[in-house]
Amino acid sequence: MTPSSVARFMANMFPPSTLQTCHLLDAGAGLGALSCAFLDRWLDGGLAFQKVEVTAYEIDGTLREHLRQHLAAYDRVKSEVIGDDYITQAAVEGLEKGFFTHAILNPPYKKINSSSVHRLALRAVGIETVNLYSAFVALAVAQAAPDGQIVAIIPRSFCNGPYYRPFRDFILERAALRQMHLFDSRTQAFKDDQVLQENVIIRLERGADQGPVTITTSTDDSFRDLVTHQHPFERIVFPDDPGRFIHIPTSTGKSTIELSPAVRYSLADLGIRVSTGPVVDFRLKDQLRDMPESGTVPLIYPGHLSMTGTVWPLMGLRKPNAILRNETTEKWLYPTGFYCVVRRFSSKEEKRRVVASVVDPEPFHPHEMLGFENHMNVFHENKGGLPESLARGLAVFLNTSAVDESFRRFNGHTQVNATDLKLMKYPSRSALTVLGEWAKEQRGITQAMIDEQLGRLPA
């Protein structure tokens, strides 16, 4: 449910309008907090419409009755509460009616199976997406009138990654992104609901030319420390980014990574690849062994790794230390060598999102092959190891505060995907090698030392 303070903030995001009649859409309306906040602003003189008509969708029968009562309290408003499924109803009616002048949404969050009724209905009207929340927003954009305003609070996960690329294309081709609000704390705005996703509030304008984007931030839903900045769209969606990731800068200045002339190479330029660890343990249970034995090779989990080295085998890990090497597993194994790996998952409030380590082959002697478990991303050269200094330099670079800050601008969940790492920019291969040579000479490396080295990289 939407907290009342968030509902009021969202209602206040709508710009003034010269329209005489407002047609408001609230899909997934729940108890009607968002519609009521919008209507309260109108009645208080914040919006100059002569008339407001509300169309609210809610499939839960109990909530729907309360919703009807709440909307009926506004005697100047014509309201319609619909119990049908919004996705299937909108798909049947068609999308290009341009009826709704305003939409205010807190859509449901749930993955859509590829063969589900929802997925097929969306596909029939040209919408390809993987979650209910993005489906609701895409439909609202499609149903909006020219210059129609859409305000929605949604998980930030749509901002990056390949799965939401069709959704990003859909909304950016049909609407201008006008404003985004980011809560600095992942836990405070929806603390009563134990929300794990980082949420953003977005405002879109149907059919408008894209211009600067207003970014607002606050610690929580009190909005007491609201900060506002404006950025050119080129800082939100980089012109040379094929994935069209949506960045949310929290200051007017460019990030350290953007400003560094040394950080401008792709992984392809470096001759390096990054892949998700191929060993999915629950699919290969029969092949796993708690400790090494005859016929096995090392199996590496994030728990085996640290900034100082690799510990294997590790007693008390509660994960298998080895995997059988045979016809079933051979295709999942890598030659023993130096690798740089990045954990795929971090805890909700962990200080760092990007955590890189070096896999040192010394503990694995005499094994010729090893397995990487699925909870890490592996940097490699054609499924083989990296030169030691390159692996160490890459880990140092990825562990800089600047990389972590830059990564958080487009990644709003706790997962670090290989695709995200592929689209980042890196120093040159020679610069990374020099960084690795420096790291090998240090007895102990602090965050301050790592960050200082980034500024010394040659262009």
Side-chain angles (χ1 to χ4, degrees):
M1 299 301 174
T2 313
S4 58
S5 58
V6 174
R8 288 192 298 271
F9 182 83
M10 292 173 65
N12 285 324
M13 286 176 66
F14 289 96
S17 173
T18 59
L19 293 174
Q20 295 296 299
T21 300
C22 165
H23 297 279
L24 177 68
L25 169 68
D26 186 354
L31 295 172
L34 291 176
S35 290
C36 291
F38 184 93
L39 295 173
D40 288 342
R41 184 187 172 198
W42 172 54
L43 293 174
D44 288 342
L47 295 165
F49 313 120
Q50 295 298 308
K51 183 170 64 172
V52 175
E53 299 178 355
V54 178
T55 301
Y57 285 81
E58 179 51 57
I59 61 173
D60 185 290
T62 302
L63 294 179
R64 193 163 59 245
E65 288 309 308
H66 291 290
L67 174 62
R68 283 197 176 96
Q69 294 174 21
H70 292 160
L71 293 178
Y74 297 87
D75 52 13
R76 291 179 55 191
V77 176
K78 177 183 177 182
S79 60
E80 180 183 17
V81 176
I82 300 174
D84 294 333
D85 181 287
Y86 173 59
I87 292 177
T88 54
Q89 177 87 355
V92 168
E93 290 181 352
L95 298 183
E96 300 303 331
K97 288 187 175 183
F99 177 72
F100 296 109
T101 62
H102 295 74
I104 190 165
L105 307 172
N106 181 0
Y109 178 93
K110 186 179 180 181
K111 290 183 179 180
I112 304 175
N113 293 329
S114 58
S115 58
S116 68
V117 172
H118 284 148
R119 193 69 171 267
L120 297 176
L122 291 164
R123 191 170 291 152
V125 292
I127 296 174
E128 197 66 51
T129 194
V130 295
N131 203 294
L132 290 180
Y133 84 79
S134 49
F136 272 54
V137 174
L139 287 168
V141 168
Q143 291 187 312
D147 302 321
Q149 303 289 327
I150 301 97
V151 173
I153 182 166
I154 55 178
R156 190 177 166 182
S157 52
F158 80 95
C159 290
N160 69 300
Y163 296 122
Y164 288 99
R165 170 66 194 274
F167 171 67
R168 293 193 295 274
D169 287 343
F170 188 92
I171 62 173
L172 293 176
E173 288 166 5
R174 290 164 176 79
L177 181 60
R178 293 300 191 212
Q179 183 176 350
M180 290 189 288
H181 179 82
L182 179 66
F183 296 100
D184 288 339
S185 172
R186 189 188 294 266
T187 58
Q188 289 301 308
F190 288 84
K191 52 183 176 292
D192 293 336
D193 295 319
Q194 297 183 326
V195 173
L196 299 183
Q197 281 277 1
E198 189 170 4
N199 288 284
V200 294
I201 304 173
I202 62 172
R203 178 168 71 86
L204 303 165
E205 184 173 346
R206 179 68 155 102
D209 293 332
Q210 183 64 62
V213 180
T214 298
I215 304 295
T216 56
T217 61
S218 67
T219 298
D220 53 32
D221 60 341
S222 71
F223 301 99
R224 283 190 295 264
D225 56 351
L226 186 71
V227 176
T228 302
H229 295 295
Q230 193 172 75
H231 300 272
F233 185 67
E234 292 73 23
R235 288 207 64 213
I236 307 299
V237 179
F238 297 166
D240 60 348
D241 179 7
R244 300 185 85 177
F245 284 12
I246 296 176
H247 299 248
I248 309 181
T250 54
S251 66
T252 54
K254 290 188 176 182
S255 70
T256 303
I257 292 297
E258 289 179 88
L259 290 171
S260 173
V263 184
R264 54 192 176 92
Y265 299 93
S266 68
L267 284 182
D269 294 332
L270 305 181
I272 298 174
R273 298 168 62 187
V274 61
S275 305
T276 304
V279 177
V280 182
D281 53 9
F282 67 86
R283 294 178 181 167
L284 293 168
K285 284 183 178 180
D286 294 343
Q287 309 295 326
L288 307 181
R289 297 294 183 269
D290 287 340
M291 295 299 289
E293 60 185 56
S294 177
T296 66
V297 297
L299 176 59
I300 310 306
Y301 281 82
H304 290 109
L305 306 170
S306 70
M307 279 292 292
T308 57
T310 308
V311 180
W312 183 90
L314 186 59
M315 298 289 291
L317 182 63
R318 288 194 275 186
K319 296 288 185 180
N321 280 279
I323 183 171
L324 290 171
R325 182 182 181 184
N326 52 37
E327 292 181 356
T328 301
T329 63
E330 188 72 24
K331 62 182 177 180
W332 308 123
L333 304 180
Y334 281 63
T336 300
F338 282 94
Y339 296 89
C340 175
V341 298
V342 171
R343 292 189 314 181
R344 289 184 59 210
F345 299 93
S346 58
S347 62
K348 185 172 60 174
E349 291 293 343
E350 194 159 1
K351 187 175 181 180
R352 294 190 57 81
R353 189 78 51 83
V354 181
V355 180
S357 303
V358 174
V359 173
D360 188 326
E362 194 277 330
F364 308 132
H365 182 77
H367 296 287
E368 297 178 351
M369 305 292 284
L370 53 84
F372 289 104
E373 196 270 335
N374 189 247
H375 283 71
M376 63 184 78
N377 299 298
V378 185
F379 289 86
H380 57 93
E381 285 186 310
N382 295 320
K383 206 178 174 182
L386 302 172
E388 179 181 359
S389 294
L390 180 60
R392 296 193 182 280
L394 188 56
V396 170
F397 169 71
L398 289 167
N399 283 321
T400 60
S401 299
V403 166
D404 198 68
E405 186 271 338
S406 178
F407 192 83
R408 288 172 184 268
R409 288 194 175 194
F410 64 83
N411 184 305
H413 46 70
T414 57
Q415 188 168 335
V416 179
N417 296 310
T419 302
D420 301 332
L421 298 169
K422 287 175 187 175
L423 292 173
M424 286 173 48
K425 296 296 185 182
Y426 296 81
S428 68
R429 189 179 176 106
S430 59
L432 288 171
T433 299
V434 170
L435 197 57
E437 293 291 342
W438 168 85
K440 287 163 61 178
E441 296 173 357
Q442 310 306 311
R443 291 189 175 181
I445 299 178
T446 66
Q447 188 66 55
M449 292 168 65
I450 289 174
D451 293 341
E452 182 182 0
Q453 289 302 309
L454 179 62
R456 296 182 176 181
L457 289 177

